[in-house]
Amino acid sequence: MQADLIVACILLVVAFGTCILVPLFWPLDPVRGVFSATFKPPMSFAGGHLHPLGTDQLGRDLLARLGLGTAISLGIVFVASVISAVLGTVLGMIAGYFGGWVDALIMRLVDMQLAIPFILLILLIVAVIGPSLMNLIVVLGITGWAIYARVARARTLEVRELEYIESARAIGQRKLFILFRHVLPNILVPQTVLLTLDLPRLIILEASVGFLGLGVQPPTPTLGGLIGEGRSFMLIANWLVLYPGLMIAALVIACNLLGDWLVRRNDLREL
Amino acid sequence: MLRYLLIRAGQGLLVLFGVSAIVFFSLFLTGDPAAVMMPPDATTAEIASFRHAMGFDQPIWIQYLRFLGHALTGHFGDSLRYQQPALSLLLQRIPATALLALTALAWSSLFGFVFGIIAALRQNSALDLTIRVVSLLGQAVPVFWLGLLMIIVFSLRHHWLPSSGMGTAAQLVMPSLSLGAYYFAAITRLVRASLIEALGQDYVRTARAKGLSEWRITVRHALRNALIPVVTVQGMYFASLMGGALITEIIFAWPGVGRLAVEAIQTRDFTVVQATVLFSALLFVVVNFLVDIAYVWLNPRIRL
Amino acid sequence: MKVSAAFALTVALVATAPAAWSQEAKDQLVIARAAGTTAMDPGFLRESATIVDNIFDTMVERDSQMKLEPGLALSWKSINPTTWEFKLRPGVKFTDGEPVNAEAVKFSLDRVLNPDNHAPTISYIRTISKVEVVDPMTVRITTSGPDPLLPTRMSRYPAYIVPPKYLKEHGRDYFASHPVGSGPYELEKFVPGQSVELKANDDYWRGAPSIKTVTFKTIPDATARTTALLNGEADIIEDLPVNLVPMVQASPNDQVVDVKNGGLTIYLGLVMSQKPLDNLKVRQALNMAIDRKTIVNDILHGMATVSGTQVGKFDFGYTDIPAPKYDPAAAKKLLAEAGYPNGFTITLESTHRYLNDDAVATAIAQMFGDIGVKVKQKVLDWSVYLQEVPRKGPIFMLGWGSTQTLDADAAIYPIMHSGEPYSTASIPELDKLLDKSRKIVDPSKRAEVLKQVQELAAKDVPLITLYQQDAVYGKAKDVVFSGRADARIPVYTIKKQ
């Protein structure tokens, strides 16, 4: 459906517009507080500036923070997804192609990974190694590989029986070469679509970790961190939670619509 | 088929074993539990004697072996914080989480199916569009956001519902609504999508040609096949239901396993963390095993 | 059609649940707290004593003005510098019928002092070397050295008096979840981590309490806790966040209880063994770079008092020392003199535990930035924080107080004397004065030395004192409760109109 695509595009334009244009051109500082201008509601003037989305507990402009926060969150989520996707795809291909005990081992790891609620695992690890931007990316990246591995493995199992791969094997090409030269291109598209479908999960996960106060350290804003900080003030300044929440919703809806569209277009119903 | 299920059960046990190792060892990277449990002005000697009393001074692998042996018999040791067996703490909390999760699961599955079927049968109608928008939104808003919003509207503004605690039916409404929202949306979308697909299949066309009623076709033929993908993802969703319950329980002060787990992690109450994580892993393994059985039952074409 | 059915179902659900959560009865009270209760053995607490305080008694108690008053002991006197004698109140019984006598006192203290029992708070009464029964109503306590604070120590945990026979019969584990004391309330129902319900002890030696049942509910999230108050689910809430104070004030049914100087004194610990904090001028510069008035007024909404000393206003030995003047220009100059004309980069650690602490830490980071000191912020969970604080830093935000003793000693010695677990300071002259203060029994001489300690600390900056927090509660208007400087909630004194 074309309408889905249009909605997704509009939402993405809004989100990306905010996270690119605001940090570049919006004059107000996302980090530095003006202590005399705390909790100004949206569209109010304070200190000679208009605050379209209001200010927070330290008098910082929410639009400036939302712009930077969205950029940082998307950065975290993208990098983490790529780590997950690469890790999962490689392990999945290996499992599918080699079979046997390698397959069994990797698939048990997948089960294990899926058997601990993500959020619990992430809390545990962040509590151990301490919260920071890098740690968060690594933890989100490492804990998300399992789905990619499952799909990559299933796809590899199909692909390896294809004629030209059999013939590549027959002429004695090295296994790893076959894997990356012939198998990988075949599963690249479904893995990319899977990534699009998995992004919403990560966006919400990152927000949840931030909500529990274990995300990126202040004063750096992230979508999750903004809601996490804002919730303490939610009863008197609901905009602090409202707008970051809407941004999350917009991103998730856009990814879902886009993902579904990609699934239909590439005929990948098994995802 | 029995062999298949036996293999799956064995794999489940293996998973549990692995999870126990991961949980146990990662926890011990956290540092010195004795220092946390003692008051700030305790002397080094007091901390040392406490550490010895709790067994924290033994080599880690000995602690792990002892832990495994005890875990198999259900003894996770005493909670450092509650001074009670960890297992009994966990068991006390399970009914609360079960009530919350099952209520959420029940309403979201029920309405998810109903709305999914309606949307599929009235594809591209205004009703379908509305349902799709609602389900998109349901999947898009974080559990905690929805929960806080509901508290503001239903508790603070209108005083309709209590904001926290457990005991009355009214107290169950908001937590289960916010926890179930995502699953409701997910199931609606899945049922809609797979039903639309099933309705386009040959055997449905055949049934239509035979002049069977639309209702019969939907329920008897299409729905059964549409169920397969829905059942498959249930197992996956279950783990994140546990995760969602964790946050919901914190927002609504619901005395369940999730809150126990978060508090235990925060206070480094090792025994309780181990018990809760292993419990949720066990639950996950069992649920997925049941999903396997349901899958086989639903899809007779699979010969195992 | 289906939609309306769903809606009807929801409405029906809501309608069938009447307003059961709103408190109507005048003799029932609900108190919502941030922390959950895990165990109620008052000798082995690992949490605040708010609940056990209502179940158990101590020999010495404090009145609402924080003056010591007789509790289970009618009187006490010092026989010589290391010996104290307590005369017990006759006729008091534990709720299981056992008499409160000298044996019970000896038993209660001995079990905490026994090193095999690993009592977490043994340090509070560590000075005791011997507890003797003189006669059934007289106890003699010997300390290892002169301890002017002994009566004070007998007014707080772990010095609650417990029934020996009951404990011996049932053991400590059972006792922790089924406590029996001689206080105004006895346990009715205990759901660990969720709620504790107490019912009045009508035979209480001060007379039957007017509140007949009190429920302590655990609601960790501050927003939810405040909502519970506004929604009528709770009568009193602890730790009302400062930002929500205006909401509670605006509510027609609720009030804010603001206990001035009722909370901890917040300070920045400086790890003096690390460069550049070993440099006095750097410490002084940082001290002057903080605009405490703005923090207290704009970020804490006035719910704190700017202070120049760690000692609280109600503490023995308090000296009124003005907070350093906010002067970023002078601070910059001091930094340059110290050899850091372009500042430096340093880590500031903080946690979630104090009033609006996130915002305060961020504001301080910004103020340090103004004098050229770049701050990397690290916000850690409390349990992790506790492990890192004394060693890492190099700057960390912590709250400290003397609520255990209401004496300057507890407020400064552990965080300023070198080598103490929570001290990162190392100033020999300060150590000498602190040592001296502990050897003096005469109150007025002691006060003089404590004054010197505080003056020296203001000059040499072993740590940066920020402000003393208020204790902030929210309560329903019909509840008579004014809060106490020692953070207790004696339900016995609370009434509902």
Side-chain angles (χ1 to χ4, degrees), chain C residues 302-343:
Chain C
M303 300 282 166
T305 313
V306 171
S307 175
T309 173
Q310 281 300 118
V311 181
K313 219 172 213 154
F314 298 112
D315 294 345
F316 176 83
Y318 168 77
T319 309
D320 184 12
I321 290 177
K325 235 180 85 193
Y326 171 54
D327 192 343
K332 248 183 177 160
K333 219 175 116 207
L334 271 172
L335 271 189
E337 283 171 29
Y340 299 95
N342 302 318

Side-chain angles (χ1 to χ4, degrees), chain C residues 430-442:
Chain C
L430 195 60
D431 287 355
K432 255 186 240 157
L433 279 175
L434 282 167
D435 289 340
K436 195 171 151 196
S437 77
R438 282 207 163 178
K439 291 190 184 107
I440 305 171
V441 184
D442 178 70

Side-chain angles (χ1 to χ4, degrees), chain B residues 27-302:
Chain B
L27 266 180
F28 271 71
L29 298 172
T30 55
D32 185 356
V36 184
M37 300 307 299
M38 296 295 279
D41 50 351
T43 64
T44 326
E46 279 162 9
I47 293 177
S49 85
F50 179 75
R51 181 181 302 127
H52 179 72
M54 302 305 294
F56 290 141
D57 54 347
Q58 306 244 337
I60 255 186
W61 62 274
I62 289 186
Q63 290 189 48
Y64 176 61
L65 285 183
R66 214 169 44 179
F67 162 73
L68 256 194
H70 288 154
L72 285 176
T73 50
H75 297 289
F76 290 93
D78 279 4
S79 153
L80 302 179
R81 187 156 156 258
Y82 288 85
Q83 295 154 26
Q84 279 183 48
L87 187 69
S88 74
L89 274 174
L90 181 64
L91 293 176
Q92 284 166 15
R93 299 296 192 97
I94 288 176
T97 298
L99 176 66
L100 176 61
L102 290 178
T103 312
L105 208 61
W107 82 258
S108 58
S109 308
L110 180 67
F111 289 108
F113 268 97
V114 170
F115 286 108
I117 292 170
I118 294 173
L121 292 180
R122 300 271 174 279
Q123 204 185 340
N124 297 329
S125 68
L127 192 59
D128 177 32
L129 189 70
T130 316
I131 291 174
R132 287 191 59 215
V133 169
V134 168
S135 63
L136 264 176
L137 284 173
Q139 275 190 302
V141 298
V143 162
F144 52 85
W145 200 66
L146 191 61
L148 291 174
L149 229 55
M150 283 203 287
I151 289 180
I152 287 194
V153 175
F154 296 123
S155 294
L156 283 172
R157 205 140 297 159
H158 297 293
H159 297 275
W160 285 346
L161 290 167
S163 62
S164 66
M166 177 187 141
T168 63
Q171 284 170 318
L172 184 58
V173 176
M174 288 201 296
S176 62
L177 276 181
S178 64
L179 179 58
Y182 182 87
Y183 307 96
F184 162 69
I187 290 167
T188 306
R189 287 184 57 178
L190 257 170
V191 169
R192 178 183 177 275
S194 51
L195 194 57
I196 285 176
E197 199 199 320
L199 285 171
Q201 299 287 324
D202 287 344
Y203 62 88
V204 173
R205 277 192 221 123
T206 318
R208 256 198 210 112
K210 278 201 267 176
L212 293 176
S213 76
E214 197 65 19
W215 173 248
R216 232 182 117 100
I217 294 168
T218 313
V219 174
R220 270 306 224 358
H221 300 273
L223 201 56
R224 188 184 167 106
N225 279 289
L227 263 177
I228 295 171
V230 177
V231 167
T232 319
V233 299
Q234 280 298 336
M236 299 270 278
Y237 281 157
F238 194 78
S240 45
L241 185 79
M242 294 292 295
L246 195 122
I247 288 179
T248 311
E249 286 178 4
I250 288 176
I251 294 177
F252 293 100
W254 190 265
V257 179
R259 216 177 100 194
L260 182 72
V262 171
E263 283 171 4
I265 286 178
Q266 284 174 344
T267 52
R268 304 244 168 111
D269 197 346
F270 287 169
T271 50
V272 176
V273 175
Q274 286 159 351
T276 45
V277 176
L278 272 181
F279 164 73
S280 48
L282 175 71
L283 206 61
F284 180 87
V285 167
V286 169
V287 166
N288 274 282
F289 186 65
L290 294 177
V291 167
D292 281 340
I293 295 177
Y295 195 63
V296 172
W297 174 73
L298 271 173
N299 196 352
R301 275 174 300 182
I302 297 178

Side-chain angles (χ1 to χ4, degrees), chain A residues 116-169:
Chain A
I116 310 180
F118 285 112
I119 188 92
L120 206 55
L121 190 66
I122 288 166
L123 289 184
L124 191 64
I125 296 176
V126 172
V128 175
I129 59 178
S132 79
L133 185 72
M134 272 315 283
N135 290 350
L136 191 63
I137 291 177
V138 171
V139 171
L140 287 178
I142 288 184
T143 51
W145 62 280
I147 329 165
Y148 294 96
R150 264 197 183 167
V151 174
R153 173 180 175 271
R155 199 76 185 181
T156 307
L157 281 176
E158 282 172 32
V159 169
R160 63 176 289 192
E161 308 304 332
L162 292 179
E163 228 168 272
Y164 72 97
I165 288 180
E166 297 230 351
S167 53
R169 237 192 326 252

Side-chain angles (χ1 to χ4, degrees), chain A residues 32-33 35 217 231 233 236, chain C residues 221 223 243 298 366 370 379:
Chain A
R32 205 185 150 75
F35 303 129
Q217 295 300 285
R231 84 169 158 141
F233 317 112
I236 48 165
Chain C
D221 181 68
T223 306
N243 298 288
D298 289 345
Q366 185 175 323
D370 290 345
V379 183

Side-chain angles (χ1 to χ4, degrees), chain A residues 27 37 43 45 58 81 92 103-104 135 152 162 182 187 237 240 250 265:
Chain A
M43 297 314 287
F45 275 96
L58 288 170
S81 301
D103 183 24
N135 290 350
L162 292 179
H182 301 301
I187 64 174
L240 292 178
R265 213 196 118 133

